[in-house]
Amino acid sequence: MNTIKTLVIAGAAVAGLAQAAPLKDYGAAPEFTGINNWLNSAPLKQQDLRGKVVLVDFWTYTCINCIRTMPYVKAWHARYKDQGLVVVGVHTPEYAFERSTENVKAAIARFGITYPVAQDNRYATWQAYQNQYWPAVYLIDKKGRVVYQHFGEGAYKETEEVIRTLLAQPG
């Protein structure tokens, strides 16, 4: 069975800092599969991302919950990209009009997204992750293992602490 590792940050309660969420080994990160288009990037493969911490963010541009999480995801990208974090937005449409590449490009421009976005119109990557929610965040460690997931809004401090913890681990 999978082993859960609990991370504790000394003085978290006193200092008002978030305690990192427990890490769990959910298995090897699924490949980005069935992607219609890669925007802001050439196609990415999990094997090429080994040695990096990868945040996979499932979103769609009309989802209010996704829009509310976007500032956090963008901030993590800006803050940690030079330390080894790779953010990959997986745009999986909820409605037919969200399948339009031009609409997705316009949303990326409107929201100021600069990290790679995989357009997953056929839900192939969504299904590979067995995802069920917008938004959904998966964190992948430097060895290519999914070790954290969060669905919906919230847990921003906890998620950032996990990012920091994973970046500090040897690659």
Side-chain angles (χ1 to χ4, degrees), residues 32-39 58-61 89-105 117-127 134:
F32 301 111
T33 186
I35 300 302
N36 299 72
N37 296 295
W38 281 92
L39 307 167
F58 284 91
W59 68 290
T60 188
Y61 69 84
V90 178
H91 185 275
T92 310
E94 185 174 8
Y95 303 108
F97 63 86
E98 293 173 321
R99 296 177 188 277
S100 162
T101 300
E102 292 309 311
N103 289 351
V104 177
K105 285 180 180 178
V117 174
Q119 190 177 1
D120 186 28
N121 283 352
R122 296 183 302 245
Y123 284 63
T125 296
W126 174 284
Q127 291 171 355
W134 291 281

Side-chain angles (χ1 to χ4, degrees), residues 9-19:
I9 299 170
V14 175
L17 297 174
Q19 181 172 324

Side-chain angles (χ1 to χ4, degrees), residues 39-40 59 103-115 117:
L39 307 167
N40 293 343
W59 68 290
N103 289 351
V104 177
K105 285 180 180 178
I108 288 169
R110 182 171 63 251
F111 293 126
I113 296 171
T114 58
Y115 48 81
V117 174

Side-chain angles (χ1 to χ4, degrees), residues 140-153:
I140 302 165
D141 69 12
K142 294 175 183 179
K143 296 175 184 170
R145 310 289 295 178
V146 177
V147 295
Y148 174 83
Q149 54 189 17
H150 179 76
F151 308 115
E153 295 181 58

